[in-house]
């Protein structure tokens, strides 16, 4: 069964969602991320994806207090990302309660640092973030596009020891129009043993079931929950 991973994106310590990574589309869904996380835990969710959107823009960890409050209030396994660029950022994230971290921009812009984290902490704790626009990697909170091909990027880092990848199709994210099924099928066809975590576009439990049938190991979703397209009780 596909692993269900709700997302909590944070700006100014609050739960928010964006559309296609555009900060101008910010919508606040809750003042207290820990309360939201507890709701997920109460229906049996075990894992949570937390993104520090302020950190992604600032290029350093910002909302670690919110992470700390979620970790203190729940027993959820938290993966945390957004602006992690230095060893000190990682130290703060892990000390604040993250079980895993996701690195995307750093893996493109400073691969030596990311590879150092991979060697030091292991592939169970370091997730590769592969955020894509037309199958090219995007970085810096999705405001900067690159010419880095997704499949070259994945092949290189899988060779270097990455085993878990969060792949977000930016065009789909927050749009509630369904995930990029063909993209995920193509990734799994090339890397069948990869622990692929699909992200972006999920609009219903039917979308999640389709990803499950396609063999995708895990899925991140957010706006569908906050907009009531998926009911929290459906996650049981």
């Amino acid at each position: 069964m596909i692993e269900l991973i709700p997302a909590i994106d944070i700006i100014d310590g609050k739960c928010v969602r964006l559309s296609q990574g555009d900060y101008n589309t910010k919508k606040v869904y809750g003042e207290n991320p820990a309360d939201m996380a507890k709701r997920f835990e109460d229906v049996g969710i075990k894992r949570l994806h937390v993104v520090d959107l302020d950190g992604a823009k600032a290029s350093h960890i910002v909302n670690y207090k919110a992470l700390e409050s979620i970790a203190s209030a729940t027993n959820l396994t938290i993966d945390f990302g957004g602006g992690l660029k230095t060893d000190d950022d990682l130290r703060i994230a892990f000390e604040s309660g993250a079980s895993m971290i996701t690195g995307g921009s750093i893996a493109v812009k400073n691969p030596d640092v990311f590879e150092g984290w991979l060697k030091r902490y292991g592939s169970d704790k370091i997730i590769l973030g592969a955020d894509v626009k037309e199958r090219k990697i995007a970085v810096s909170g999705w405001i900067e596009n690159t010419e880095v091909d997704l499949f070259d990027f994945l092949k290189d880092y899988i060779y270097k020891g990455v085993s878990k990848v969060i792949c977000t199709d930016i065009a789909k994210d927050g749009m509630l129009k369904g995930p990029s099924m063909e993209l995920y099928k193509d990734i799994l066809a090339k890397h069948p043993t990869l622990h692929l975590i699909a992200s972006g576009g999920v609009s219903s439990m039917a979308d999640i079931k389709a990803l499950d049938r396609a063999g995708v190991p895990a899925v991140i979703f957010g706006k569908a929950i906050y907009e009531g397209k998926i009911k929290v009780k459906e996650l049981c």
Side-chain angles (χ1 to χ4, degrees):
M1 177 63 185
I2 192 168
E3 183 179 24
L4 304 179
I5 309 173
I8 293 180
D9 293 354
I10 301 173
I11 292 179
D12 295 331
K14 300 173 183 177
C15 300
V16 306
R17 293 303 290 176
L18 309 180
S19 296
Q20 297 180 328
D22 183 353
Y23 283 72
N24 293 321
T25 66
K26 179 185 77 174
K27 184 173 180 180
V28 177
Y29 287 98
E31 298 288 325
N32 191 329
D35 288 347
M36 190 71 72
K38 195 74 175 70
R39 283 182 63 206
F40 294 136
E41 185 178 46
D42 286 346
V43 297
I45 290 293
K46 305 294 185 188
R47 171 91 176 269
L48 189 67
H49 177 65
V50 178
V51 180
D52 180 358
L53 289 174
D54 290 314
K57 188 178 276 191
S59 293
H60 62 81
I61 192 168
V62 174
N63 285 296
Y64 60 89
K65 288 293 185 184
L67 168 61
E68 201 171 67
S69 70
I70 293 169
S72 297
T74 72
N75 291 309
L76 293 166
T77 298
I78 303 167
D79 79 72
F80 182 82
L84 302 175
K85 296 289 185 286
T86 66
D87 292 348
D88 203 43
D89 286 334
L90 241 67
R91 177 188 61 77
I92 294 168
F94 284 130
E95 287 181 357
S96 298
S99 299
M100 296 170 269
I101 68 93
T102 301
S105 300
I106 187 73
V108 177
K109 294 189 166 187
N110 202 335
D112 288 345
V113 171
F114 185 80
E115 289 168 36
W117 295 348
L118 196 56
K119 289 175 183 173
R120 188 177 316 142
Y121 295 101
S123 60
D124 283 344
K125 287 185 172 292
I126 305 297
I127 303 169
L128 179 66
D131 302 327
V132 297
K133 189 172 185 179
E134 297 176 353
R135 302 201 176 196
K136 301 289 187 182
I137 297 294
V139 295
S140 303
W142 303 352
I143 59 177
E144 185 181 340
N145 299 321
T146 76
E147 290 302 312
V148 178
D149 177 78
L150 168 65
F151 290 94
D152 292 340
F153 184 67
L154 293 178
K155 182 179 179 181
D156 182 44
Y157 272 111
I158 290 168
Y159 175 77
K160 290 172 179 173
V162 160
S163 62
K164 298 176 182 175
V165 174
I166 296 173
C167 184
T168 305
D169 186 338
I170 296 167
K172 297 282 190 178
D173 191 71
M175 303 309 290
L176 298 174
K177 293 183 178 178
S180 287
M181 295 298 301
E182 293 308 312
L183 174 64
Y184 300 131
K185 288 176 182 178
D186 288 349
I187 292 171
L188 289 174
K190 291 179 182 292
H191 306 288
T193 62
L194 181 66
H195 189 84
L196 175 63
I197 305 166
S199 173
V202 170
S203 65
S204 64
M205 287 303 295
D207 286 339
I208 291 175
K209 289 173 183 175
L211 288 165
D212 191 23
R213 288 193 299 272
V216 176
V219 58
I220 290 169
F221 50 94
K223 198 167 191 176
I225 278 279
Y226 302 122
E227 291 287 333
K229 305 293 185 183
I230 297 174
K231 306 298 183 188
V232 173
K233 63 184 179 182
E234 290 184 89
L235 304 179
C236 299

